[in-house]
Amino acid sequence: MNIKQMATACCMLGGALLAAAPVNTVKVQDAAKPSRYNPMIFGSFLEHFDNQVYGGVYDPQSKFADEDGFRKDVLAVLKKIQMPIIRWPGGCFVSAYHWQDGVGPNRESTYDKAWFVEEPNTFGTDEYVKWCRKLGCEPYICTNAGTGTPEEMSDWVEYCNQTVGKFARMRAKNGHKEPYGVKYWSVGNENWGGHETGAKTVEEWGPLVRESSKMIRAVDVKTKLLAAATTNERWTLPLLQNAGYLLDYVCIHHYAQILARDYRPFNYWDSILRCDDADRNIDAVRRILDKARLGGGRVKIAYDEWNLRGWHHPWHGDFRRGMDVAARRKNDTASTYTMADAVYTACQLNAFLRNSDLVDIACFAPVVNTTGLVFVHPEGVLTRTTYHVFDLYVNELLPFRLSVGQTGEVLQGGRLQTRVFDAVVTCDEQKTRFALAVVNKSPDKATPVTIDFASLGKPAPATVKAKVLTGDSPDAFNTIENPDRVHIETATLAVKDGTVEIPAHTVAILYVE
Ligand code: AHR
């Protein structure tokens, strides 16, 4: 054998050896115990913004309206994904909202200082709680810490939950004798930001949350208390030092792209490079909680506004140019919501699952219209790609998750990078059945993922049954005219030496019985 032949042989051997060493692997960690996650990570958010409430969930003139004016088709499509919790009424809207304007027989419209429009107040606390009951989800009320006071917040709790006091009597007089028992209450929205009405300084925030929490607990000691926080220690550590002893959750918001002023939605590639957002944000808050000695689940995380796409509403937060209200129609652009949204959404849900020791609540923002899961139009509802991800996760995953280790090739773009695939392993309590969520972020290549079936206590099968959301292109989207271009399909995937080929731009649920 001459030198050239030897060199060729070495390359082939090397290549063969390299081929033998799988690159993309997922393995359940040794002695991993099934950990039950809270299904409230599949929650959402309803704000008095544009047509989310009026013309969204509530439209008495619609042919789909029920006796309370709620769109029955919207209720039905949200029940299908077992919507567990809905945060309301904002968002920036709440920071100048006075809840008493929205209850009782003689309501007048008010000016909405957050979104520069008229608020009719025909959908208020009683309608919201009734809608939640019909939907079968937990109500979660965010209070006004912008122009509001601790007393106004706690009076709202009295209106909802007390049996004595003038606000409890007000509820009864309004026809709702029985207390509502609203468990989840948040002090404030993004009071840390200059865009917020009644923004607060770091020094003001902790004491305000403490005094508000004390009064809310004085009215109903069983409430679960949340407060607006950030991944920035400068804001969140003082909050925890002042009020952490009263809090159950800190609230984190994240939009991968702020589209408030310029409407140039990220393309597929720029979107998926940001798939590690939630992991990074949760790690940052975990460090702050530990530093405040409130870690280990004593105070948990409510990731209660999140989406790849921020909302378009120029010039929000500028206070010198007014608002271009008509520009909000751009949020309805169907072609914006593609497989990028599906892949990004699945990766955030995976992050909530693998951090379920801390992340107990998450609210996709918002639930209908704007950049939401569902677009509501006069003839029906359009389910966007993100809705189908929720359908897969809520209806196909199992109630426990296992800690896994993952290795894989990395996609790189400038200073951003992300592993080409992402997986979580869910199971039943006995670890006999498994449902894996595996996401292939690549825009154009199938990704071979090697699953250590032995770590599941299973022999590697020859095939796995699967449900996949893949679309015919990374830029595929649903429209009113073509509502099922992106939909869930059932598949049987070949497994070769433990390796499954996941198609490009795909969210897949693999079943291992
Ligand atoms: O763009 C909508 C806004 O995003 C919400 O009202 C607010 O909470 C967040 O800044």
Side-chain angles (χ1 to χ4, degrees), residues 57-123:
V57 303
Y58 178 71
D59 188 353
Q61 309 312 317
S62 164
K63 62 182 178 185
F64 297 104
D66 67 9
E67 66 284 4
D68 296 305
F70 303 143
R71 285 272 301 239
K72 288 179 286 193
D73 50 346
V74 173
L75 282 166
V77 81
L78 296 180
K79 278 182 184 168
K80 191 167 174 293
I81 55 172
Q82 303 180 54
M83 187 47 67
I85 187 169
I86 295 258
R87 177 174 177 255
W88 172 84
C92 293
F93 169 80
V94 77
S95 291
Y97 175 64
H98 297 290
W99 65 269
Q100 293 187 56
D101 292 330
V103 296
N106 310 310
R107 301 183 203 171
E108 293 175 357
S109 71
T110 47
Y111 182 74
D112 170 359
K113 293 186 177 81
W115 300 119
F116 296 20
V117 292
E118 181 179 30
E119 166 56 48
N121 286 312
T122 49
F123 187 97

Side-chain angles (χ1 to χ4, degrees), residues 202-203 206-207 232-244:
V202 173
E203 297 69 28
N232 182 332
E233 181 177 308
R234 211 180 60 78
W235 175 269
T236 299
L237 187 55
L239 163 65
L240 292 168
Q241 288 163 340
N242 277 278

Side-chain angles (χ1 to χ4, degrees), residues 171-231:
R171 183 195 67 247
K173 218 159 68 189
N174 291 339
H176 310 283
K177 191 172 171 318
E178 290 311 309
Y180 291 140
V182 176
K183 205 163 27 172
Y184 297 91
W185 293 85
S186 167
V187 176
N189 181 55
E190 298 177 349
N191 303 86
W192 39 263
H195 60 284
E196 197 78 8
T197 313
K200 297 292 181 289
T201 64
V202 173
E203 297 69 28
E204 292 167 328
W205 187 237
L208 175 62
V209 172
R210 183 188 60 230
E211 294 314 308
S212 307
S213 302
K214 280 162 54 180
M215 291 186 81
I216 288 171
R217 279 274 162 71
V219 173
D220 181 354
V221 74
K222 297 187 304 301
T223 49
K224 290 289 182 191
L225 273 176
L226 306 94
T230 72
T231 57

Side-chain angles (χ1 to χ4, degrees), residues 427-478:
C427 63
D428 58 0
E429 193 162 14
Q430 300 70 28
K431 286 176 66 175
T432 55
R433 294 188 305 125
F434 302 88
L436 286 70
V438 186
V439 187
N440 177 9
K441 305 169 199 171
S442 169
D444 52 12
K445 287 191 188 63
T447 294
V449 177
T450 302
I451 298 165
D452 185 327
F453 285 93
S455 71
L456 302 181
K458 300 281 182 185
T463 61
V464 284
K465 296 233 175 297
K467 284 198 174 176
V468 297
L469 187 74
T470 188
D472 53 54
S473 131
D475 300 326
F477 57 93
N478 287 338

Side-chain angles (χ1 to χ4, degrees), residues 251-268:
C251 303
I252 299 297
H253 294 176
H254 186 80
Y255 296 95
Q257 183 184 14
I258 301 300
L259 288 169
R261 298 181 182 175
D262 302 320
Y263 198 72
R264 285 196 291 271
F266 280 153
N267 63 19
Y268 182 89

